[in-house]
Amino acid sequence: MEIDDLTPAELRVWRAFPRGESVNFRETDDEDTAQGQEWGPERTVRAAVLRALLLNGPREDGEIPALKLAGARITGTLDLRYGTCDHAVRLSHCHFAGVPQLYGARLRQLNLSSSVLPGLTAGALRVEGVLRMSDCVVRGPVRLGGAQIANALFMERAHLTAGQATEPVLQLNQMTTGDDVWAPELRVDGEMRLNGAHVAGSINLNEARLSRPGHPVLDAETLTVEGDVLLRHARVRGWVGLRGARVTGRLDLSYAQLVNPGDAALRASSCTIGELWLRRGTPMEGTLNLRRTQTDVLFLEPGVVPHEVLLSDLVYTTLTPHEPAERRLSMLERDGDGYVPHAYEQLTASYLRIGDDRAARLVQLAKQRRHRRTLPWYGRLWGHVQDATVGYGFRPLRACGWLLSLLAVGSLAYALHHPRPLKPSEAPHFDAVFYTLDLLLPVISFGQEGAFAPDGWYQTLSYALVIAGWVLATTVFAGVTRTVSRQ
């Protein structure tokens, strides 16, 4: 490009480039970049001029070239596809008329902060430093799939929309970063895709606003994050998909609001997560899917649990905060898969681990009652008997109460009406208490039952006491066996 072909504004940028000097066309610090299409020729720069500078710009001995431009209206399309640029590029507060084409480019550093763009095509981009899009307004898809960013990606307070586009608004699939994806207060009206991305640092989406009702709004299958994924105070309309993701640190949804009624709100199945925090927020509007997920710490407050959960094969080492079993059990009752024994065993193990045996027994009792609903009528009948007598073995003192009550009834009845002796000359002295014990206890014998024969109503009572004794003995044995096997 000949220097004689440049406008005064372009000539100013051209002369500043070899020395790495900044060119600022902004009239005030608070001007609206969205109105950049109205800026005149005094601050208009053609994209072709910027391309010529970045790929083959002038040099000066002893100086470090750099493109540092602010407040410019950039016309045309900045096309750096497959190009290599060894200079820092800062195009802040600029208004782009065309979508920058950076596919396969290699850049030292790129800063587009506070700029307005109709989109960005930068798949397979390689940045040796930082890619900064802080406070950007982008009205089309941002394509960064397969990009390699040596340091961090900054998108705090950026606002991304795509109008009627059917593709994701923010495409970070298969992207790798050597540091964080830093995007607090990010606003995305559409889908944000992170499938297969690898982030060596953390992902910060605190106070983000993600909206795509009824559809995937944050799709991050097989995402790998070596640090944390933070969504504190986030407001999400649509479903979040994290199937197969691996988060070494913390997945923090504290104070978050996830809304996707009629479908899943959070799909985090088959994940491996260091700590999963669901706390201090409003109840999710939609299903919570944690099937086959493994986490060391599950920080789950009952108040945020939605009306339906999917917890099959969820594995956690520590469950916090410590809550009464009654509050945790209501969550298991909401499992959309119905009766899931593993969920009860996990909850029991978490209580036993902290020494709360009473809560563990309540969970096991609830498990048996839930299981009873899945049985045929005769199984349910026998289950009701075990529950009423000894609480499936988890309330053994209840059997003592039944025995004492039956002993009192039998003793009083036979004390008022002695059964006749079978052999009066050989019969021992009748004792109503021990006679009743002989009827109730199926193994122990005090020599009373075989020596006396009641008649009429009292004979019917004796049969009832024998049957009750066998039922109590069987249920107590079953309960003890279950307790021993569990331990």
Side-chain angles (χ1 to χ4, degrees):
M1 177 170 290
E2 298 295 334
I3 195 170
D4 294 338
D5 296 332
L6 301 179
T7 66
E10 293 169 348
L11 185 59
R12 182 178 169 187
V13 175
W14 190 276
R15 289 173 175 170
F17 174 79
R19 298 185 296 274
E21 295 176 348
S22 298
V23 177
N24 188 358
F25 290 114
R26 302 180 70 199
E27 297 176 352
T28 61
D29 291 338
D30 59 350
E31 68 177 2
D32 187 3
T33 308
Q35 305 299 320
Q37 72 274 9
E38 300 176 1
W39 295 341
E42 72 282 358
R43 53 191 304 185
T44 298
V45 178
R46 288 171 293 168
V49 175
L50 301 182
R51 182 178 189 274
L53 280 172
L54 294 173
L55 298 182
N56 194 26
R59 304 291 183 95
E60 289 188 11
D61 293 338
E63 300 292 343
I64 300 175
L67 178 59
K68 299 178 181 179
L69 178 60
R73 174 173 173 252
I74 300 175
T75 59
T77 298
L78 179 59
D79 190 349
L80 295 175
R81 284 176 290 183
Y82 304 105
T84 298
C85 176
D86 296 326
H87 322 298
V89 180
R90 187 179 72 197
L91 299 170
S92 60
H93 299 89
C94 291
H95 187 281
F96 288 78
V99 177
Q101 300 292 322
L102 307 180
Y103 186 91
R106 300 186 62 173
L107 306 178
R108 176 69 58 84
Q109 182 170 311
L110 178 61
N111 186 342
L112 299 171
S113 295
S114 302
S115 292
V116 175
L117 304 93
L120 176 63
T121 298
L125 172 70
R126 296 185 64 179
V127 181
E128 296 177 10
V130 170
L131 172 56
R132 191 178 294 274
M133 297 182 66
S134 306
D135 298 293
C136 277
V137 175
V138 187
R139 301 191 176 105
V142 175
R143 304 180 182 95
L144 285 167
Q148 299 179 42
I149 303 171
N151 291 327
L153 169 62
F154 291 94
M155 300 188 74
E156 63 268 34
R157 298 176 302 279
H159 185 190
L160 312 181
T161 61
Q164 301 300 317
T166 57
E167 62 181 303
V169 179
L170 179 56
Q171 302 174 28
L172 303 178
N173 43 297
Q174 309 301 325
M175 178 195 69
T176 62
T177 67
D179 206 332
D180 298 336
V181 174
W182 200 257
E185 300 183 58
L186 173 68
R187 291 181 59 190
V188 178
D189 297 326
E191 181 183 350
M192 177 177 176
R193 183 170 293 177
L194 280 157
N195 293 348
H198 186 283
V199 179
S202 297
I203 296 178
N204 186 338
L205 291 170
N206 290 337
E207 301 185 62
R209 301 294 183 266
L210 311 178
S211 181
R212 196 184 180 216
H215 297 89
V217 65
L218 175 56
D219 193 359
E221 292 187 3
T222 65
L223 168 69
T224 300
V225 180
E226 303 297 339
D228 303 325
V229 176
L230 307 176
L231 281 153
R232 296 169 67 92
H233 296 279
R235 299 292 180 267
V236 181
R237 302 291 185 271
W239 58 262
V240 176
L242 296 170
R243 185 176 64 84
R246 185 175 69 86
V247 180
T248 303
R250 183 173 78 251
L251 173 57
D252 191 347
L253 290 157
S254 301
Y255 306 95
Q257 185 182 84
L258 276 66
V259 178
N260 193 39
D263 198 355
L266 175 60
R267 301 179 181 182
S269 58
S270 303
C271 294
T272 302
I273 303 171
E275 298 184 16
L276 175 56
W277 287 25
L278 295 165
R279 56 187 284 272
R280 304 287 183 175
T282 57
M284 288 186 192
E285 296 183 32
T287 304
L288 171 61
N289 185 348
L290 296 177
R291 289 185 181 127
R292 301 176 301 279
T293 287
Q294 298 184 30
T295 180
D296 293 331
V297 178
L298 179 58
F299 198 137
L300 179 61
E301 292 182 347
V304 305
V305 178
H307 293 299
E308 183 178 4
V309 297
L310 299 171
L311 304 176
S312 178
D313 295 319
L314 168 65
V315 177
Y316 49 87
T317 304
T318 302
L319 178 62
T320 190
H322 180 62
E323 295 278 355
E326 293 81 359
R327 297 198 68 194
R328 295 293 187 190
L329 286 170
S330 63
M331 175 180 68
L332 304 188
E333 289 286 338
R334 306 174 197 174
D335 200 312
D337 292 329
Y339 171 58
V340 181
H342 182 265
Y344 288 89
E345 292 300 326
Q346 276 288 293
L347 186 55
T348 299
S350 70
Y351 280 122
L352 289 175
R353 194 172 291 111
I354 60 175
D356 193 342
D357 293 337
R358 176 186 175 276
R361 288 194 298 271
L362 286 176
V363 174
Q364 284 295 305
L365 178 57
K367 174 189 173 185
Q368 296 300 324
R369 289 172 174 170
R370 184 78 182 276
H371 175 61
R372 184 172 67 207
R373 303 178 202 169
T374 66
L375 300 175
W377 68 268
Y378 49 85
R380 294 196 300 272
L381 178 60
W382 178 240
H384 281 294
V385 171
Q386 292 189 76
D387 196 357
T389 52
V390 292
Y392 286 97
F394 298 103
R395 292 178 177 173
L397 291 179
R398 187 178 291 179
C400 296
W402 280 103
L403 283 171
L404 291 175
S405 299
L406 294 173
L407 178 61
V409 170
S411 299
L412 180 61
Y414 293 118
L416 295 175
H417 188 279
H418 290 196
R420 61 181 177 82
L422 294 176
K423 296 179 179 180
S425 60
E426 299 178 6
H429 175 73
F430 180 75
D431 188 305
V433 175
F434 283 95
Y435 180 75
T436 305
L437 284 174
D438 254 352
L439 297 172
L440 287 171
L441 302 178
V443 178
I444 301 174
S445 175
F446 295 99
Q448 294 279 319
E449 180 184 2
F452 299 92
D455 53 13
W457 181 87
Y458 295 96
Q459 186 177 20
T460 304
L461 176 61
S462 68
Y463 294 155
L465 290 173
V466 170
I467 295 173
W470 275 103
V471 170
L472 285 172
T474 304
T475 53
V476 168
F477 177 77
V480 170
T481 302
R482 186 182 298 113
T483 303
V484 172
S485 64
R486 186 180 72 253
Q487 294 176 346

